[in-house]
Amino acid sequence: ETTNPGGHSSVPGTENAIYELSAALLRLQSFSFPVKISEITENYLAHAATLTSGQLAEDLRGAVQHPPDAKAIQRLSQNPYYNSLLHTTCVATMLSGGHAQNALPQTARANVNCRIFPGEQPEEVRKTLLQVAADPKLKVALVAERNSDGSAIPIVAVPASPLRPELTLALRSALAPMWPGLPIVASMSTGATDGNYLRIAGVPTYGIACMFFDMEDERAHGKDERVEVEDFYDGVEFSYRFIRALGSK
């Protein structure tokens, strides 16, 4: 958020809250957070390299080198999905500014949605955004979620869940009868789930990809989000088998 004294738009000066905010957002657009690779993402990238070929496979292998190959990271980061696996990402999602069509804006505000890599401190991300904005008049505040009583939920770093072989064994026993030969690859979700709160409390938490989706027809968060009927019922059956297998361990 940035603020100005405002005034009549017939006599604009050098200060303008909307311009100042826009300049900061353009700097954010060209900024990339440092590369982060965890046990889960390293495992995923290494397995993904075996399922593809060409330059992409080479880049995936380069990403899991120690240290990662900088050129491979640069190429992978051009792909929105791999970029989100390799970095904390912050992107502007909503804007508001000004109070009248004939007045200079006194306030301009942007909501910047950050998907923070597991283990990274939210406060450090906030400080980085301040540095990227490079404007002492601009304020960056964390937006806290609220409990039912209105109190703020503390914003803290969320640890990653470790890879656990007993989960893989249970997955294999449920998966093999339905889809023989389908590889099992753990990955990190680029979105957020309620698992955040469990992991903060020290409870390792995992999700399962129990349905197939059309990669060329991505509708997540859209008004017409959907799943194929057959895939839905297959997902129910697979989930049942997996929970049974997990419960027998």
Side-chain angles (χ1 to χ4, degrees):
E1 179 183 76
T2 186
T3 58
N4 286 160
H8 202 287
S9 61
S10 64
V11 284
T14 57
E15 291 186 328
N16 185 299
I18 290 176
Y19 293 160
E20 291 163 3
L21 179 65
S22 298
L25 293 177
L26 286 174
R27 286 190 282 273
L28 175 60
Q29 182 184 25
S30 59
F31 174 78
S32 180
F33 281 82
V35 174
K36 299 279 186 177
I37 298 178
S38 67
E39 177 191 19
I40 286 181
T41 54
E42 181 173 354
N43 177 76
Y44 171 76
L45 295 170
H47 276 83
T50 67
L51 302 175
T52 186
S53 60
Q55 186 64 59
L56 177 57
E58 291 182 23
D59 290 341
L60 291 169
R61 286 190 288 268
V64 297
Q65 292 177 4
H66 297 276
D69 181 86
K71 291 184 178 180
I73 293 292
Q74 184 179 35
R75 285 189 291 267
L76 288 173
S77 296
Q78 299 303 308
N79 179 295
Y81 176 65
Y82 291 120
N83 182 67
S84 295
L85 287 182
L86 293 166
H87 311 85
T88 286
T89 60
C90 290
V91 61
T93 55
M94 296 182 71
L95 282 172
S96 62
H99 58 280
Q101 291 183 344
N102 63 345
L104 297 175
Q106 292 178 306
T107 304
R109 181 183 295 115
N111 185 86
V112 174
N113 186 270
C114 293
R115 305 303 174 116
I116 300 175
F117 199 91
E120 193 166 355
Q121 293 290 343
E123 176 60 18
E124 292 304 311
V125 173
R126 188 191 73 83
K127 290 179 180 178
T128 299
L129 291 177
L130 272 175
Q131 294 172 358
V132 173
D135 185 341
K137 291 187 297 182
L138 194 136
K139 299 176 183 178
V140 178
L142 299 174
V143 180
E145 293 185 85
R146 299 282 172 177
N147 290 308
S148 57
D149 62 2
S151 60
I153 297 175
I155 302 175
V156 298
V158 182
S161 296
L163 290 173
R164 298 180 63 167
E166 64 268 32
L167 289 178
T168 303
L169 290 173
L171 275 171
R172 283 204 179 100
S173 66
L175 192 70
M178 295 186 68
W179 300 295
L182 191 70
I184 297 174
V185 183
S187 65
M188 180 181 73
S189 170
T190 57
T193 74
D194 289 343
N196 281 6
Y197 307 112
L198 291 169
R199 284 154 52 209
I200 289 171
V203 181
T205 308
Y206 309 86
I208 56 169
C210 58
M211 299 180 195
F212 288 96
F213 293 92
D214 184 351
M215 295 294 288
E216 303 302 322
D217 190 28
E218 175 59 60
R219 297 171 182 261
H221 287 349
K223 291 182 179 180
D224 54 355
E225 187 171 0
R226 65 186 69 180
V227 62
E228 296 273 351
V229 172
E230 181 181 357
D231 292 333
F232 172 80
Y233 285 109
D234 282 347
V236 171
E237 176 65 21
F238 171 72
S239 298
Y240 174 76
R241 295 186 185 200
F242 175 61
I243 293 169
R244 285 285 300 267
L246 203 58
S248 66
K249 297 299 179 185

